[in-house]
Amino acid sequence: MTRKRAVTLTALVATSALLFAACTSSPGQATSTTPTTAGSSAAPATSGAPSSSATNSGTVSSGPASSGPATSGATGSSAPTTSNEPAGADGCGKPHGAYTDPGTAAGAVTVGFNELSTSWNAQSSHGNSVYNSNALYLTQAQNWYYDKDLKLINNDSFMTCKVTSTKPLTIAYTINKDAKWSDGVPVSAEDLLMTWISNSGNFSTGEVKTDKDGNPLPSTGSTVAFDSSSPGLALIKAFPTISADHKTLTTVFTEPFVDYQLNLTIGVPAHAVAVKALGISDPTAAVAALVKAAQTKDNASLAKIANTWNTAFDFTALPSDKSLYLSDGPYIMSDFKANQFQTFTINPAYTWGPKPSVATITIQYAPDPTAAVQSLANGELQIINPQATADVLKGATALESQGVKVINGSGGTYEHVDLAENNKGPFDPATYGGDATKATEVRTAFLKTIPRQDIIDRLIKPLNPAATIRNSFTQVPGAPGYAPMVAANGMSAYDKVDLAGAKALLAQAGVKTPVNVRFMYADNNPRRASEYQLIAASAKQAGFNVIDAKNANWSSQLTNTKIYDAVLFGWQNSTTGVAQNPPNFLSGAAGQNNFYGYKNANVDKWMNQLNVTTDAATQTKLLTDTETQLVKDGFGTILFQFPDITAFDSTKVTGVGGIALVPGVFSNFWEWKIAG
């Protein structure tokens, strides 16, 4: 699984759990499910891993579809253990059953968010972000989602997932016979198969190449290179079986994947990929050719399919080609103006899941958190989930007399700093003739200078007086496994700045100072700019010259370590599964969220074992051993759990809530109602 960058995590990503989160309150960042008094704190139910970040300006969802960061609770997975699941048990969470029909949808709601979509394919490594997941959550039918209590719910009106055998683990996914894409093509087993083909790694014969800006380049010849990976889907080696009616896909695992319930979801439509990649205009014939290419390992065709899947669905304004943004969910995207807004209107054909009451939802580009509050006051926005700052909290609570409700607490995103070890920069062994010990000493020295407590005292405590340093890569503060993890992993040694220790390590390494460190972060994020300034000032005292490398396109540039040495952003969880952690730390293609070239043989062994381990005690040991090694190797550091603020005008819209996972405030959009 993958996390999401908050720049980071949603139910629609089959392989990742963490998402990139851009801001403190990353786009899509989790919030408490019910309004609380301003200033109160609600601990997220799960820990943030990588995913892949919170408000659009600095958060990523963790992990490729099943990325490792997104998970909280290192003591175990939220999915049931396969060893105790009888054949016939549901494989996508607790079945919901029929939904209440709200009647004819009416009215419009505008949500302020600090970033808009860049891709309709959130399963790709570069498309794995909270802001992409937000749009897709509105427009793609979900076979599972989390309720307000973070219980996994199967939308059995769309798809049922049955465990038909446990030895070997076998799951049959059956799609509603009426489900169809917005172009009229039925949703089919081949759409699930497309996710397996692109994410399993079973068909890739090479790695994705990028240009100087980190953008994926098309592979040449017969080289097949899909821009994604999923440890869970990689365990499905045998070609899945497609039923005669093309509505059921049956998969067999070589080993029992720990988070099998979160493993397979639909991404971009198979027929849209096949038509564009193979030049066959008839959707049925194109899909048949796609399946045949996969069955016969026709690499010439698969290379075209991979190139199309990787980048054809990337756009920042409404494409003229409607096949690039097809919907099989409650809404259809009807308008998209670059850096302005995205509008979604009700899908009249949709009957296979919860139906919304609001006819139109617009996501308004609102990068300035203070301006977002003013827009809420003016009635231009009805819901905002801006970067959380003291001024935003003060401004939002001041509007309570006019009906504004404020949800204030801890979100599902965590802030962290990672160091590049693969760019011939200050933290790369190659810079020192391959001397890994020397590079580790330089990394450790830099980490000793980061003023973690000062950052929290100055920037976070004004929002949450109880805020503390987060000292775990996999456990959220307050979770049962957090205290034992912190007692064992050694990260608390970095709680206080140690300039003398940093200087001593640089001297021991024989490194000439000042050491230049290019530091990347979101350039539209005031809090991140403040964090950078505090880090740069502290590190300078130990002999580091920290160079401002802020970047408007930071999330798409995470794979491009040629332009940075250290990076600051947030991971947001999209699931509660334990398997979202490995993609953050594994080396090679399996480490979809490990952009930095980190490699440790023991960590690879432990994380691969975690993917197939259902015993909670063993999971805890594997995670503890991994975290201890990450600290020892100077992988990076964690700063804090994001504060999160959602505010909405209750005189215009009701039912607004959110969860501490991607898609945060959008998680229950079908429960929103026009007030009055």
Side-chain angles (χ1 to χ4, degrees):
M1 306 167 130
T2 60
R3 14 177 202 197
K4 299 212 173 195
R5 325 167 231 226
V7 108
T8 202
L9 330 199
T10 82
L12 54 87
V13 189
T15 50
S16 73
L18 289 183
L19 299 180
F20 307 116
C23 313
T24 2
S25 153
S26 321
Q29 183 158 334
T31 61
S32 0
T33 55
T34 55
T36 59
T37 23
S40 70
S41 172
T46 62
S47 133
S51 172
S52 220
S53 288
T55 38
N56 21 33
S57 88
T59 310
V60 192
S61 103
S62 143
S66 51
S67 151
T71 178
S72 136
T75 56
S77 160
S78 64
T81 58
T82 57
S83 59
N84 296 322
E85 284 299 304
D90 188 81
C92 283
K94 181 181 178 180
H96 183 280
Y99 294 87
T100 301
D101 189 337
T104 303
V109 170
T110 302
V111 185
F113 211 69
N114 59 7
E115 209 137 352
L116 303 178
S117 292
T118 59
S119 178
W120 213 246
N121 184 3
Q123 290 184 356
S124 70
S125 179
H126 70 281
N128 171 40
S129 69
V130 170
Y131 42 85
N132 289 332
S133 296
N134 289 342
L136 292 172
Y137 192 72
L138 296 174
T139 59
Q140 286 194 347
Q142 308 296 316
N143 57 315
W144 57 260
Y145 60 87
Y146 286 96
D147 68 10
K148 63 183 178 61
D149 298 316
L150 296 187
K151 293 178 181 177
L152 191 67
I153 304 299
N154 172 209
N155 172 17
D156 50 329
S157 294
F158 172 55
M159 188 187 301
T160 59
C161 315
K162 298 297 181 183
V163 179
T164 60
S165 173
T166 57
K167 294 182 179 180
L169 177 62
T170 305
I171 302 177
Y173 300 83
T174 300
I175 299 165
N176 185 314
K177 62 181 178 59
D178 297 324
K180 60 185 177 181
W181 295 99
S182 49
D183 62 355
V185 175
V187 180
S188 67
E190 286 85 350
D191 292 314
L192 285 168
L193 187 75
M194 183 71 255
T195 294
W196 174 70
I197 291 170
S198 57
N199 285 267
S200 67
N202 296 338
F203 297 91
S204 289
T205 61
E207 294 186 359
V208 174
K209 306 295 184 183
T210 60
D211 62 20
K212 62 182 179 60
D213 296 319
N215 301 308
L217 293 171
S219 61
T220 57
S222 297
T223 300
V224 183
F226 284 101
D227 183 32
S228 190
S229 66
S230 164
L233 295 181
L235 295 175
I236 301 172
K237 300 297 184 184
F239 205 92
T241 302
I242 299 173
S243 64
D245 66 356
H246 298 274
K247 284 294 184 177
T248 297
L249 186 79
T250 302
T251 61
V252 181
F253 289 76
T254 56
E255 294 183 81
F257 181 56
V258 63
D259 288 335
Y260 70 85
Q261 285 189 309
L262 313 173
N263 199 48
L264 188 59
T265 61
I266 292 174
V268 291
H271 72 280
V273 176
V275 166
K276 297 190 76 63
L278 303 178
I280 301 172
S281 59
D282 178 68
T284 302
V287 169
L290 183 154
V291 173
K292 182 178 180 180
Q295 289 174 327
T296 61
K297 291 291 182 79
D298 174 1
N299 287 342
S301 295
L302 286 171
K304 297 176 183 177
I305 291 167
N307 288 338
T308 299
W309 187 90
N310 288 349
T311 61
F313 300 89
D314 297 347
F315 53 81
T316 56
L318 192 72
S320 57
D321 183 352
K322 291 185 177 181
S323 71
L324 298 181
Y325 59 97
L326 294 175
S327 163
D328 66 342
Y331 290 95
I332 296 172
M333 185 167 67
S334 56
D335 202 358
F336 184 5
K337 294 290 192 300
N339 298 319
Q340 294 184 50
F341 61 84
Q342 284 179 273
T343 298
F344 306 88
T345 54
I346 207 77
N347 180 356
Y350 176 76
T351 59
W352 43 91
K355 297 179 68 174
S357 296
V358 178
T360 303
I361 293 178
T362 296
I363 302 178
Q364 183 77 38
Y365 181 52
D368 185 328
T370 303
V373 175
Q374 186 60 51
S375 294
L376 181 67
N378 295 342
E380 299 165 13
L381 300 175
Q382 287 76 58
I383 304 172
I384 61 172
N385 183 207
Q387 177 184 348
T389 68
D391 287 340
V392 165
L393 180 59
K394 181 180 179 181
T397 53
L399 300 176
E400 290 180 334
S401 61
Q402 63 186 61
V404 168
K405 302 290 186 183
V406 179
I407 302 173
N408 179 36
S410 293
T413 302
Y414 67 84
E415 191 85 316
H416 62 104
V417 175
D418 292 337
L419 308 181
E421 303 179 33
N422 58 356
N423 64 352
K424 297 183 180 179
F427 306 128
D428 183 352
T431 300
Y432 312 106
D435 190 333
T437 299
K438 183 174 289 190
T440 300
E441 289 171 340
V442 178
R443 291 196 300 271
T444 302
F446 183 72
L447 295 176
K448 283 179 176 289
T449 71
I450 296 179
R452 303 165 75 206
Q453 188 63 57
D454 194 31
I455 288 172
I456 291 171
D457 289 344
R458 291 173 181 248
L459 305 177
I460 308 305
K461 282 194 173 182
L463 290 163
N464 179 7
T468 60
I469 293 172
R470 173 169 163 160
N471 271 321
S472 173
F473 289 100
T474 65
Q475 303 298 303
V476 67
Y482 181 76
M485 179 66 77
V486 173
N489 67 12
M491 190 180 290
S492 59
Y494 295 95
D495 284 358
K496 295 181 179 179
V497 171
D498 181 8
L499 297 178
K503 292 177 181 178
L505 277 174
L506 291 178
Q508 182 175 308
V511 174
K512 182 180 179 181
T513 58
V515 177
N516 290 330
V517 176
R518 296 165 299 169
F519 198 92
M520 186 170 76
Y521 60 94
D523 77 345
N524 66 339
N525 189 313
R527 190 175 70 200
R528 289 238 164 83
S530 296
E531 290 175 57
Y532 159 73
Q533 290 165 2
L534 291 171
I535 291 170
S538 178
K540 182 178 181 179
Q541 298 177 66
F544 290 96
N545 176 35
V546 183
I547 301 166
D548 190 338
K550 61 179 178 286
N551 193 314
N553 301 311
W554 67 273
S555 66
S556 64
Q557 296 298 309
L558 288 171
T559 58
N560 187 21
T561 56
K562 296 176 183 178
I563 67 172
Y564 71 88
D565 305 305
V567 61
L568 170 73
F569 66 98
W571 277 127
Q572 183 167 352
N573 298 343
S574 59
T575 78
T576 60
V578 72
Q580 62 197 327
N581 291 291
N584 302 331
F585 313 121
L586 283 169
S587 61
Q592 184 164 332
N593 297 323
N594 175 9
F595 312 112
Y596 325 106
Y598 173 76
K599 183 174 184 178
N600 182 282
N602 283 329
V603 168
D604 283 348
K605 179 180 69 175
W606 296 327
M607 289 291 93
N608 282 318
Q609 186 179 345
L610 182 66
N611 279 328
V612 294
T613 297
T614 58
D615 177 70
T618 305
Q619 289 176 352
T620 297
K621 185 178 189 311
L622 292 169
L623 287 165
T624 302
D625 289 346
T626 295
E627 288 213 23
T628 302
Q629 191 65 53
L630 292 171
V631 173
K632 181 180 178 181
D633 292 342
F635 173 83
T637 193
I638 309 296
L639 299 179
F640 52 83
Q641 202 73 23
F642 272 32
D644 184 77
I645 295 174
T646 293
F648 64 96
D649 186 345
S650 65
T651 69
K652 304 289 181 58
V653 60
T654 63
V656 178
I659 58 174
L661 300 172
V662 174
V665 69
F666 293 97
S667 64
N668 69 332
F669 65 84
W670 58 89
E671 296 177 342
W672 297 357
K673 297 182 186 305
I674 300 299

